[in-house]
Amino acid sequence: MLSSNPNPSPYIGLVSSIIASCLFALLPWYVHLYPVTEYSGNEFAAHRIIWSTVLMVFALSVARQLPLLFYHLKDWRAWPRVMLGSMLVGLQFWLFLWAPANGFTLPLALGYFSLPLVLVLIGRFFYSDSLNTLQWIAVCLAGLGVAYAYIMTDGLSWIVLVVALGYPLYFVLRRHYPLPSHIAFSLDNFFLLPIALAYLYFGPSIPANVDFVQPPLIFYIGLGVAGAVPMLLFLLASRRLTMSMFGLMSYLEPVLVFIVGWALGERLEANQLPTYLFIVMAVVMLGLDGVRRVRKKTV
């Protein structure tokens, strides 16, 4: 039987997942510090990969772990599976910045609402994870919210499928070929780096009539930090938690993204409200389950 929780320290995973969700929720606010256009989404995604790579090389140098990274890079027989993971997560990096800039925010949000349910189903049926009563209630509430969102949309967008199926495949792949989180993330960026550099050098130039403000270098470095730190924490959480619990905790991110969007001036339409109410109730159930676990530990 496949094991969904190879590491026996779940509380580190819970804390890592919560912090990662909070940091990822701030990424839309950070990106919107400058006007976003259909071109800036691709531009920002490329810079995110480049500066994440630079930051990881610097961090590994300080920690004296560059030899470990080079050791895995020299293992050319592992390149196919490493490159597959890199392509899967690279597509998510790009889509997270490209979709809002091109008017596809709703399908992207729906994909992220669907993602945790897919993770829970994978954990339950492929890893035989067990869920307690409060967790099942959270799953049902979230499922109702996602089902309502599907009903309100006009068909199933390819963006929803890329998010809802692509990320689970990535985390399953990383679980089957375990690497330290910082090494896995560094390898992902190394294999994506040529694509990012090629886009910036050979990609289409931005027309003069497009209102694109070129951010300063410090903004791009910050983009690398904002993308690298939460992704490292999510990779850590995916190894420390069962697949189902990791999926349930992932519902915290879209709720926080909504709060950030509200602070940025975005408002819910009336037909979107039920989805968020169901998701918030699911997160409350997870919070109650966490409080119950802590009390049982202290008794």
Side-chain angles (χ1 to χ4, degrees), residues 226-245:
V229 174
M231 192 64 203
L232 284 168
L233 291 171
F234 262 138
L235 281 170
L236 177 61
S238 73
R239 293 285 299 153
R240 298 274 180 162
L241 300 173
T242 64
M243 186 66 77
S244 294
M245 192 61 193

Side-chain angles (χ1 to χ4, degrees), residues 76-94:
W76 59 268
R77 289 169 295 185
W79 279 20
R81 67 171 182 262
V82 175
M83 290 180 69
L84 175 60
S86 300
M87 294 303 108
L88 286 171
V89 78
L91 186 60
Q92 305 298 333
F93 291 167
W94 166 75

Side-chain angles (χ1 to χ4, degrees), residues 112-131:
Y112 277 97
F113 279 135
S114 307
L115 169 61
L117 279 182
V118 176
L119 290 171
V120 170
L121 292 175
I122 290 175
R124 180 66 185 87
F125 294 105
F126 288 91
Y127 293 103
S128 297
D129 292 347
S130 59
L131 300 176

Side-chain angles (χ1 to χ4, degrees), residues 8-256:
S9 305
Y11 290 106
I12 294 177
L14 287 172
V15 173
S16 298
S17 180
I18 291 170
I19 296 174
S21 293
C22 293
L23 293 176
F24 262 134
L26 291 175
L27 193 56
W29 166 81
Y30 185 82
V31 169
H32 281 82
L33 289 176
Y34 288 86
V36 179
T37 70
E38 59 181 306
Y39 296 94
S40 57
N42 295 338
E43 189 97 1
F44 290 171
H47 276 285
R48 173 183 176 177
I49 292 167
I50 292 169
W51 289 104
S52 291
T53 305
V54 172
L55 289 167
M56 290 309 301
V57 169
F58 175 77
L60 291 174
S61 299
V62 172
R64 298 182 180 180
Q65 293 203 12
L66 272 180
L68 180 60
L69 176 63
F70 292 143
Y71 169 80
H72 287 288
L73 278 173
K74 288 189 294 185
D75 185 11
W76 59 268
R77 289 169 295 185
W79 279 20
R81 67 171 182 262
V82 175
M83 290 180 69
L84 175 60
S86 300
M87 294 303 108
L88 286 171
V89 78
L91 186 60
Q92 305 298 333
F93 291 167
W94 166 75
L95 192 59
F96 191 80
L97 295 173
W98 176 86
N102 287 269
F104 294 103
T105 301
L106 184 58
L108 183 69
L110 189 53
Y112 277 97
F113 279 135
S114 307
L115 169 61
L117 279 182
V118 176
L119 290 171
V120 170
L121 292 175
I122 290 175
R124 180 66 185 87
F125 294 105
F126 288 91
Y127 293 103
S128 297
D129 292 347
S130 59
L131 300 176
N132 60 36
T133 302
L134 285 175
Q135 290 170 346
W136 272 119
I137 293 174
V139 169
C140 293
L141 288 171
L144 287 172
V146 171
Y148 177 83
Y150 276 118
I151 293 172
M152 296 306 296
T153 57
D154 298 325
L156 190 62
S157 169
W158 63 270
I159 296 174
V160 176
L161 295 176
V162 169
V163 175
L165 301 180
Y167 254 135
L169 287 175
Y170 173 74
F171 287 121
V172 168
L173 184 67
R174 282 286 172 258
R175 194 178 287 265
H176 280 285
Y177 300 102
L179 288 170
S181 299
H182 58 295
I183 298 299
F185 183 69
S186 298
L187 288 173
D188 288 337
N189 281 284
F190 260 97
F191 283 106
L192 292 170
L193 184 60
I195 300 175
L197 290 172
Y199 175 80
L200 291 182
Y201 189 79
F202 297 107
S205 58
I206 300 174
N209 62 340
V210 174
D211 184 21
F212 176 72
V213 180
Q214 187 71 46
L217 179 61
I218 190 65
F219 172 84
Y220 289 125
I221 297 174
L223 187 61
V225 174
V229 174
M231 192 64 203
L232 284 168
L233 291 171
F234 262 138
L235 281 170
L236 177 61
S238 73
R239 293 285 299 153
R240 298 274 180 162
L241 300 173
T242 64
M243 186 66 77
S244 294
M245 192 61 193
F246 178 59
L248 288 170
M249 290 300 298
S250 299
Y251 270 115
L252 181 60
E253 182 183 342
V255 173
L256 293 175

